[in-house]
Amino acid sequence: MQEVFKDFSTGGLLKIGNEVLLENYVKPKQAGLYIFIRTTSNKATIEVDGIPYIISEHSLLALTPIQFIHFVEGKDLIVYQFNREFYCIKDHDQEVSCAGLLFFSNAHFPLIDLGENEQRKFNTLHEVFVDELNTEDTIQAEMLRMLMARFMIMSTRLLKAKEGFGSAANDVKLDLLRSFNLLVEAHFKEQHSVSFYADKLFKSPKTLSNTFAKFNTTPLQIIHERIVLEAKRLLIYTDKTAKEIAYEIGFEDASHLSRLFKKLTSLSPSQFKKQLAKAV
C-alpha cells in the first residue's frame, strides 16, 4: 500500500504506506527523506549507519535524511516519508520542527514504545491521513501538514515523557543541547573546538559542560561522536581512503583522525575497513 502527495508549487512530497516504501533501502543508501517507521504486531530489523537495530512490536522510529539506512526485514509496517519542502518550510514550534526533538541529532535516533492508548491514537490519525490523501482540493496540502504537525506533537510528547523531560528547567537545558547539536551538524567538518560552539550560543564552555552533564555527555564528546560517525559513514559507503576522509572532515593530518577514531571505536580507520570487508 502506498499513498503519495506532491505539492507542485513547493516541491513538497509526502508518502504514506507499508514496508514497500522501504524497498529502496534493501541496499544501504542515504535516507534522503525524513522517515517514520512504525511497527505493529511484528518486529522489524534495520541498519542505521551500519549498526543493526531490532525495532520491537508497537514502536515508532524517526530517521533523518542524512542517515544511511538498510532495511533488513519487517512486515505490517506503517511508514511515513516526507521531504523538507513538504513540512520544514513552514514555521513550527521548535520542538516539533525538522530541528526538533525527533530529528535534532544524527548520531542518535529516538525509538518510542507505544502503549495501547497510544496505538489507538496513532491508528486514528493514520486513518485521517489516508482519507485526506484521497481528498483532492485547494486546502489538501495545508491539511496534510497540519496532520503531520499533530503526528510530530504526539511523538514528541511521548519522547519527552520517556526521557523524563517536561519541567521548564529541563526544557531550557534540552533546548541548549538541541541548539548545540544543530550547530555541530552545520560546522563539525570545519570546527572541532568547544569554544567555537560556546561563542555561537553566547555561553561559556563550562556552562555547556555543566548543562550537558545532566544528559550524561559532554560538548567535546558530542563533537567527537559526530566526527567519528561521519568517518564511519564514509568508510562504509564510499571507497575513499582514510587520508581523504580525514581531509574531508577537517583534519590536515590523518593521524589525528586515526587517534580519535581509535579512542571511540578501539579500531583504527584501516582496521575498521578491514573488519567491514571480512563481514561481507
Side-chain angles (χ1 to χ4, degrees):
M1 186 273 287
Q2 179 175 326
E3 300 283 352
V4 179
F5 166 78
K6 293 182 179 180
D7 187 344
F8 293 102
S9 63
T10 64
L13 174 67
L14 170 67
K15 297 180 180 180
I16 296 179
N18 55 20
E19 55 274 10
V20 173
L21 285 177
L22 300 176
E23 288 181 352
N24 286 335
Y25 305 103
V26 170
K27 290 185 177 180
K29 62 181 291 189
Q30 202 162 27
L33 298 166
Y34 292 92
I35 300 176
F36 285 106
I37 300 174
R38 182 183 157 204
T39 56
T40 54
S41 57
N42 297 287
K43 297 180 180 179
T45 304
I46 187 172
E47 290 183 4
V48 181
D49 293 318
I51 300 174
Y53 295 92
I54 296 176
I55 312 171
S56 60
E57 301 92 333
H58 305 297
S59 298
L60 179 67
L61 171 70
L63 298 168
T64 70
I66 72 169
Q67 289 173 311
F68 281 81
I69 65 174
H70 172 206
F71 176 58
V72 180
E73 63 178 346
K75 62 179 181 178
D76 299 324
L77 305 178
I78 299 174
V79 180
Y80 298 81
Q81 299 176 337
F82 62 91
N83 64 2
R84 179 169 292 276
E85 289 76 13
F86 170 74
Y87 183 81
C88 309
I89 60 175
K90 290 285 185 176
D91 291 328
H92 297 286
D93 180 86
Q94 287 186 4
E95 289 187 345
V96 296
S97 70
C98 289
L101 294 182
L102 297 168
F103 299 120
F104 76 87
S105 173
N106 287 292
H108 307 282
F109 57 84
L111 183 58
I112 305 167
D113 296 326
L114 303 178
E116 289 187 8
N117 189 41
E118 287 75 29
Q119 293 170 42
R120 178 182 56 79
K121 291 179 180 179
F122 276 99
N123 285 340
T124 300
L125 182 58
H126 183 70
E127 290 176 5
V128 179
F129 255 124
V130 173
D131 182 65
E132 189 59 37
L133 281 164
N134 291 300
T135 305
E136 296 184 12
D137 57 25
T138 57
I139 58 175
Q140 183 189 31
E142 190 60 31
M143 184 62 176
L144 288 170
R145 289 190 184 95
M146 288 172 60
L147 292 172
M148 181 54 69
R150 175 64 178 162
F151 186 99
M152 300 269 275
I153 289 169
M154 290 167 59
S155 304
T156 300
R157 283 175 174 169
L158 291 172
L159 181 60
K160 290 179 71 173
K162 174 186 175 182
E163 300 295 340
F165 303 124
S167 70
N170 279 339
D171 284 354
V172 169
K173 294 172 183 175
L174 187 59
D175 284 343
L176 183 59
L177 176 65
R178 186 169 71 242
S179 296
F180 183 84
N181 270 277
L182 292 172
L183 281 173
V184 170
E185 189 61 40
H187 300 288
F188 75 92
K189 291 184 179 180
E190 301 87 26
Q191 301 291 340
H192 301 165
S193 69
V194 174
S195 60
F196 169 84
Y197 299 99
D199 288 344
K200 287 284 187 181
L201 293 168
F202 303 103
K203 303 288 184 182
S204 70
K206 184 176 181 180
T207 297
L208 292 182
S209 295
N210 290 339
T211 301
F212 294 177
K214 309 293 183 183
F215 304 100
N216 298 313
T217 189
T218 69
L220 190 61
Q221 182 179 344
I222 292 172
I223 297 168
H224 286 173
E225 286 179 348
R226 184 62 186 91
I227 290 169
V228 170
L229 172 61
E230 192 68 15
K232 283 183 176 180
R233 285 175 175 168
L234 294 170
L235 286 165
I236 295 170
Y237 302 110
T238 75
D239 294 324
K240 293 182 178 180
T241 65
K243 187 175 182 179
E244 290 171 329
I245 291 171
Y247 181 76
E248 183 170 333
I249 304 177
F251 291 88
E252 293 185 4
D253 188 338
S255 64
H256 293 166
L257 175 61
S258 182
R259 284 195 293 270
L260 175 61
F261 195 95
K262 190 165 187 176
K263 180 181 178 182
L264 268 65
T265 69
S266 299
L267 297 170
S268 68
S270 59
Q271 289 171 332
F272 181 80
K273 192 76 172 179
K274 288 178 181 177
Q275 190 178 70
L276 290 173
K278 290 179 180 178
V280 175

